[in-house]
């Protein structure tokens, strides 16, 4: 198993484990307190559990090597999973906001706020540990699934902090703050959903990667032999990066020399992007001396 596959799978397993622990703890806390902001946090943890399981399954198939029917691999499954995750996030946000307005109209109040405080602190500690591990995995693997999961859990840190504040303020008689915090959590979920969804959509649409294109052009300019390059095309598919471009070479170069230059350029690109699939087309050009 590659380092990418191993780290990405470890990250999804850790995500599922943390989500399950928090679902159990927050369910107990919600039953004990009746807090609508805690309900929002519970809904989000349930969403985390479902999407983490989906991500684990999707990642398993996304890592399957290219075959006869899928010659570009199965990496797009990562984007599909991330898009599904953003849809789940929007759905849970709508449910939460509607529930919050209902609580405000009924003037319902929470009880046993100390239980909610304890569970919120537990959630913050576990989430901090998970996000730190996910950051490490992303730096090594560039996995979109893990990145989408990490964005959501980073939002959870703020969410759990908001719930903690709501619990504390309720103890001072600010009962309305619970519903207000829940509505804020719902808005935050929608913002996160947009960020995850738009990135997944761009990847599914094979949007050009200008940062990668600029680096490739820079690498070609630095390498002795080529006169330049044009028609650079880049697209991301899960962990894999597909790069195609035309390499401009002196038309008087022998074939073996042109091939050797192309190999050197391709090697430099793969050093910068180890998961890249590079196709180089050699273009003869006239060079004035």
């Amino acid at each position: 198993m590659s380092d990418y596959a191993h780290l990405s799978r470890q990250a999804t397993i850790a995500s599922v484990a943390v989500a399950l622990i928090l679902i159990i703890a927050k369910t107990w806390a919600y039953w004990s307190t009746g807090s609508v902001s805690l309900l929002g946090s519970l809904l989000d943890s349930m969403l985390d559990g479902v999407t983490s399981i989906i991500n684990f399954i999707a990642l398993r198939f996304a890592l399957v090597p290219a075959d006869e029917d899928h010659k570009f691999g199965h990496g797009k499954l990562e984007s599909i999973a991330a898009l599904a995750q953003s849809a789940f996030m929007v759905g849970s946000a709508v449910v939460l906001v509607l529930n919050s307005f209902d609580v405000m109209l009924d003037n319902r109040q929470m009880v046993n706020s100390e239980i909610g405080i304890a569970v919120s602190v537990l959630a913050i500690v576990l989430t901090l540990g998970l996000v730190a591990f996910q950051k490490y995995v992303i730096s090594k693997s560039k996995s979109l699934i893990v990145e989408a999961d990490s964005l959501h859990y980073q939002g959870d840190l703020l969410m759990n902090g908001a719930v903690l504040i709501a619990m504390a303020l309720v103890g001072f008689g600010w009962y309305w703050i619970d519903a207000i915090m829940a509505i804020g959590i719902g808005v935050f979920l929608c913002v996160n959903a947009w960020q995850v969804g738009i990135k997944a959509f761009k990847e599914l649409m094979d949007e050009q990667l200008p940062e990668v294109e600029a680096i490739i052009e820079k690498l070609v300019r630095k390498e002795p032999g080529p006169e330049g390059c044009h028609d650079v095309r880049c697209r991301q598919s899960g962990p894999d990066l597909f790069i195609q471009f035309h390499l401009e070479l002196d038309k008087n170069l022998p074939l073996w020399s042109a091939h050797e230059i192309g190999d050197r350029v391709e090697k430099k690109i793969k050093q910068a992007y180890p998961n890249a699939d590079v196709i180089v087309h050699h273009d003869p050009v006239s060079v004035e001396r």
Side-chain angles (χ1 to χ4, degrees):
M1 185 186 295
S2 68
D3 288 341
Y4 167 83
H6 177 72
L7 285 172
S8 298
R9 286 176 179 173
Q10 289 297 316
T12 54
I13 291 171
S15 179
V16 171
V18 169
L20 290 176
I21 292 170
L22 293 182
I23 287 171
I24 294 170
K26 290 178 182 180
T27 299
W28 169 65
Y30 172 62
W31 284 343
S32 301
T33 64
S35 166
V36 71
S37 61
L38 195 52
L39 172 62
S41 188
L42 170 60
L43 286 174
D44 186 63
S45 292
M46 292 174 70
L47 172 64
D48 289 342
V50 172
T51 53
S52 293
I53 291 170
I54 292 173
N55 289 345
F56 179 77
I57 296 171
L59 186 64
R60 179 183 176 187
F61 287 99
L63 292 173
V64 173
D67 54 32
E68 190 63 30
D69 294 325
H70 306 88
K71 295 189 176 182
F72 289 98
H74 302 78
K76 291 293 185 184
L77 275 170
E78 285 204 25
S79 301
I80 295 171
L83 203 59
Q85 182 174 351
S86 66
F88 278 127
M89 290 166 73
V90 171
S92 65
V94 170
V95 170
L96 177 60
V97 170
L98 292 176
N99 201 331
S100 300
F101 281 119
D102 187 45
V103 167
M104 292 175 73
L105 291 174
D106 290 347
N107 290 318
R108 277 182 269 162
Q109 298 178 3
M110 76 167 78
V111 294
N112 301 321
S113 59
E114 65 279 358
I115 294 177
I117 291 174
V119 169
S120 296
V121 170
L122 172 66
I124 289 172
V125 171
L126 287 177
T127 305
L128 275 172
L130 178 61
V131 168
F133 179 57
Q134 288 173 327
K135 288 282 190 182
Y136 170 75
V137 172
I138 293 167
S139 70
K140 297 294 183 181
S141 70
K142 311 298 181 186
S143 170
L144 183 60
I145 282 183
V146 178
E147 184 176 352
D149 229 15
S150 183
L151 275 175
H152 196 186
Y153 276 104
Q154 288 173 54
D156 286 355
L157 285 173
L158 295 177
M159 185 183 303
N160 289 313
V163 173
L164 189 60
I165 293 171
M167 297 287 130
L169 292 178
V170 163
F172 291 99
W174 294 24
Y175 298 107
W176 51 270
I177 198 70
D178 185 40
I180 296 298
M181 284 291 190
I183 293 171
I185 289 170
V187 172
F188 191 81
L189 279 173
C190 286
V191 172
N192 267 353
W194 172 260
Q195 291 176 342
V196 172
I198 198 67
K199 184 168 185 176
F201 180 76
K202 286 179 178 180
E203 188 169 303
L204 285 170
M205 294 301 294
D206 290 331
E207 184 173 284
Q208 181 72 350
L209 307 172
E211 300 88 354
V212 177
E213 180 180 348
I215 290 174
I216 289 170
E217 291 174 348
K218 182 179 178 181
L219 288 173
V220 170
R221 286 195 302 269
K222 290 174 64 177
E223 192 67 23
E227 305 299 331
C229 64
H230 62 274
D231 289 348
V232 181
R233 298 180 181 181
C234 312
R235 69 183 182 90
Q236 190 80 38
S237 179
D240 299 318
L241 180 63
F242 294 91
I243 300 170
Q244 302 176 19
F245 63 95
H246 290 237
L247 186 66
E248 299 168 2
L249 299 167
D250 185 345
K251 67 178 183 179
N252 296 314
L253 282 174
L255 178 60
W256 67 266
S257 183
H259 188 271
E260 189 271 335
I261 293 172
D263 281 349
R264 280 195 283 110
V265 171
E266 182 177 340
K267 184 177 180 180
K268 289 289 185 182
I269 293 172
K270 287 189 173 181
Q271 286 175 350
Y273 301 101
N275 289 328
D277 184 308
V278 184
I279 297 178
V280 182
H281 176 79
H282 299 70
D283 266 358
V285 294
S286 297
V287 182
E288 295 183 5
R289 301 295 183 185

